[in-house]
Amino acid sequence: MRCCENAIFGIPLHRNQLFIHDQQPLLMEEEAIETKSAVSSNNLPKSDVTKIIDNQRAFFNAGETRGVRFRIRQLKKLREALETHEPKLLEALKADLHKPELEAWSTEIGVMIAEIDYNLSHIRSWVRPRRVPTSLFFMPGKSRIYSEPFGVALIIGPWNFPVKNVFGPALAAMTAGNCCVLKPSEHAPHTAQAIADMVEEFFDPEYLIVVQGGIPETTELLKHKFDYLFFTGGTEIGRIIYQAAAKHLTPVTMELGGKSPCIVDDNSNIELTAKRIAWGKLLNSGQVCIAPDYVLVRKSVKKELIENLRKAISGFYGDDPKATDDYARIINDTHFERVKNLIEGDVVIGGDTDAKERYIAPTVIDNVKITDKVMQEEIFGPVLPLIEYEDIDEAIAIINNGEKPLALYLFAKSYDTRDKVLAETSSGGVCINETIMNFGSIELPFGGVGNSGFGAYNGKIGFDTFSHKKGVMTKSFFFDVKQKYPPYTKGNLNFIKFAVRKLI
Ligand code: NAD
């Protein structure tokens, strides 16, 4: 497959042109990024989008992506691309988010490589039409379910995991045989550029292309008809995207956010509980859609939890988290101000901020009430409110009074408590006695419910998301049910009543 010089057809290549946003690079020189395959704001003419989609659709219609060998080649190429560009991607993630290398590699690149390998070892069985039983009424005949790619998919990514949240859905779409237009977040500009460079070097634009830009470019893209739309981002923007997709009846997956609760019900291992909560909350400085947003803690164990959170945080980062390379920064000034303003009340750990570095210390707020400001929005930062309860029903009621969360975490020894919480709450996923880890399992679906989204991906579930399930029945001419044809008689009706009840 050839490599293109210009990543986007007909769109002028604006070197040294940056996007409009409030991002200040943290580590790199504030030099203009070479935007080879980028377009600047308001610089994505309709005709260019039409051309991108037309070319991808023509390539899709030519049928190459339907072949399993083509898909396997592309998946291997994606792995090679990620491995080749690993240093540049890590550097870009450092510049955008001060992402520590271990976090960046494991949560953005390592998980991708693991999932590519998983998909490669299963793809042949996934693409095979699946035979299902054919009931007596339809005999002689055969029934199969074909997994058919949709066509051209648009994947819109957020800034917090800018690599994983673009290539995770892209991998699922590619495994299922689709072409993709990728729109990374403009708020992680170094990573968006690194992604564009990587895709440009390794893939044909008729198959995989990156369109860079912000709201104007995304709005332009959304005016066009795609065959599938996969959006990861905030709930409010999700509504805009969903409405745009509805105009074209484009099927969508919505990976959204919200407030993910964490219940601490007993003190079976409070030291490890605190460590796991602190890790899940402070990864990427709390800018994780599945981070424990707030803690509902049984009154009797709260004091012990706070002491152990303090111990865990100083164990991770020492006395000054700002001085360590292992702690990320807030993505931009807007989010810094937003998160900083949520810090008020009974701050028992942290609370320090530094606007110049967009640094917010790991912060724990005690005695939070459900009406407090910090409980009115997804925190998406390293601030952890604690709300105490005495009876598990109170904790469940608090969760059920809010929108359905993306993740729910429960630390509880009692099987009755686990069963009760599982039965009486609804969330995208649940992890018992740990945080975050469940979403890394390729066998488990990653997706929300209600306001935290709908649809899911990861491994086979991702393949299914990007495949239309086409039911195919093949009948024989050997036998024909004559009673189904007019003219209808009483005898025909009786036969059909019997057949529908007994033979289907
Ligand atoms: P965002 O919704 O602001 O932006 C996401 C994407 O939408 C970006 O590519 C952006 O360019 C585009 N966009 C923004 N405004 C738009 C508009 N008006 N019209 C068209 N396109 C627009 O999200 P974000 O700030 O990048 O990410 C943070 C949110 O994403 C959080 O709420 C987080 O919980 C959620 N998130 C969810 C998941 C998940 O898997 N469920 C993963 C990561 C982040």
Side-chain angles (χ1 to χ4, degrees), residues 157-160 165 183 186 232-234 237 255-257 289 378 446:
W159 50 260
N160 62 334
N165 283 330
K183 212 300 284 175
E186 71 280 20
T232 307
I237 309 300
E255 294 284 349
L256 309 177
C289 57
E378 179 182 6
F446 189 127

Side-chain angles (χ1 to χ4, degrees), residues 448-467:
V449 57
N451 266 34
S452 56
F454 50 86
Y457 67 131
N458 257 2
K460 169 75 159 62
I461 297 145
F463 170 83
D464 288 339
T465 289
F466 280 97
S467 307

Side-chain angles (χ1 to χ4, degrees), residues 156-161 165 183-187 213-215 218-219 222 231-235 237-238 240-241 255-258 288-289 335 378 380 406 446 452 457:
I156 302 174
W159 50 260
N160 62 334
F161 287 89
N165 283 330
K183 212 300 284 175
S185 172
E186 71 280 20
H187 294 298
I215 296 175
T218 318
T219 306
L222 290 169
F231 173 77
T232 307
T235 302
I237 309 300
I240 298 171
I241 307 284
E255 294 284 349
L256 309 177
V288 181
C289 57
H335 278 283
E378 179 182 6
F380 224 57
L406 184 55
F446 189 127
S452 56
Y457 67 131

Side-chain angles (χ1 to χ4, degrees), residues 298-311:
R298 192 179 279 281
K299 194 176 176 182
S300 56
V301 296
K302 192 177 79 172
K303 201 163 156 258
E304 204 183 341
L305 180 72
I306 294 172
E307 278 161 19
N308 280 282
L309 282 170
R310 188 175 286 115
K311 211 166 98 188

Side-chain angles (χ1 to χ4, degrees), residues 168 211 264 284 287 297 307 384 413 456 487:
V211 172
V264 180
N284 203 24
Q287 301 164 112
V297 54
E307 278 161 19
L384 187 67
K413 196 166 50 177

Side-chain angles (χ1 to χ4, degrees), residues 126-376:
W126 294 346
V127 299
R128 230 174 271 141
R130 188 162 61 86
R131 193 142 174 203
V132 290
T134 304
S135 59
L136 266 180
F137 186 72
F138 302 110
M139 288 291 191
K142 283 180 189 155
S143 305
R144 292 192 187 86
I145 299 172
Y146 282 71
S147 292
E148 182 181 82
F150 284 102
V152 178
L154 172 62
I155 292 166
I156 302 174
W159 50 260
N160 62 334
F161 287 89
V163 176
K164 161 73 173 98
N165 283 330
V166 164
F167 288 114
L171 168 62
M174 291 159 74
T175 308
N178 298 276
C179 299
C180 301
V181 176
L182 312 177
K183 212 300 284 175
S185 172
E186 71 280 20
H187 294 298
H190 297 86
T191 312
Q193 189 58 49
I195 289 171
D197 291 343
M198 182 186 110
V199 168
E200 182 185 334
E201 187 184 325
F202 277 83
F203 293 96
D204 194 319
E206 283 101 16
Y207 176 59
L208 203 64
I209 192 168
V210 174
V211 172
Q212 288 197 67
I215 296 175
E217 289 75 18
T218 318
T219 306
E220 186 52 50
L221 283 168
L222 290 169
K223 286 181 191 155
H224 298 258
K225 182 174 169 62
F226 286 88
D227 302 303
Y228 202 90
L229 205 161
F230 194 108
F231 173 77
T232 307
T235 302
E236 288 317 310
I237 309 300
R239 286 183 216 281
I240 298 171
I241 307 284
Y242 197 16
Q243 279 173 24
K247 288 204 178 118
H248 298 290
L249 283 181
T250 300
V252 295
T253 294
M254 289 275 149
E255 294 284 349
L256 309 177
K259 291 183 88 63
S260 294
C262 175
I263 304 175
V264 180
D265 193 60
D266 58 43
N267 60 353
S268 54
N269 191 339
I270 210 80
E271 188 179 348
L272 195 51
T273 297
K275 209 167 170 184
R276 288 177 174 180
I277 294 172
W279 172 75
K281 181 69 185 186
L282 301 174
L283 192 77
N284 203 24
S285 223
Q287 301 164 112
V288 181
C289 57
I290 49 173
D293 185 274
Y294 61 100
V295 170
L296 295 161
V297 54
R298 192 179 279 281
K299 194 176 176 182
S300 56
V301 296
K302 192 177 79 172
K303 201 163 156 258
E304 204 183 341
L305 180 72
I306 294 172
E307 278 161 19
N308 280 282
L309 282 170
R310 188 175 286 115
K311 211 166 98 188
I313 292 165
S314 65
F316 294 166
Y317 308 114
D319 290 338
D320 182 12
K322 198 161 82 169
T324 159
D325 244 5
D326 296 341
Y327 188 61
R329 298 295 187 262
I330 303 299
I331 184 74
N332 58 34
D333 296 340
T334 312
H335 278 283
F336 172 82
E337 284 303 321
R338 184 187 60 77
V339 179
K340 187 182 149 196
N341 287 333
L342 297 177
I343 304 175
E344 55 182 31
D346 201 352
V347 176
V348 286
I349 300 175
D352 316 329
T353 62
D354 179 345
K356 219 168 104 231
E357 278 202 34
R358 297 196 302 278
Y359 163 82
I360 295 181
T363 299
V364 177
I365 312 177
D366 191 12
N367 298 316
V368 171
K369 288 190 288 301
I370 204 72
T371 48
D372 288 353
K373 193 158 78 179
V374 74
M375 289 304 293
Q376 307 313 310

Side-chain angles (χ1 to χ4, degrees), residues 3-17:
C3 220
C4 62
E5 284 303 312
N6 301 322
I8 297 175
F9 308 90
I11 296 173
L13 303 180
H14 293 271
R15 297 174 88 87
N16 307 321
Q17 209 165 36

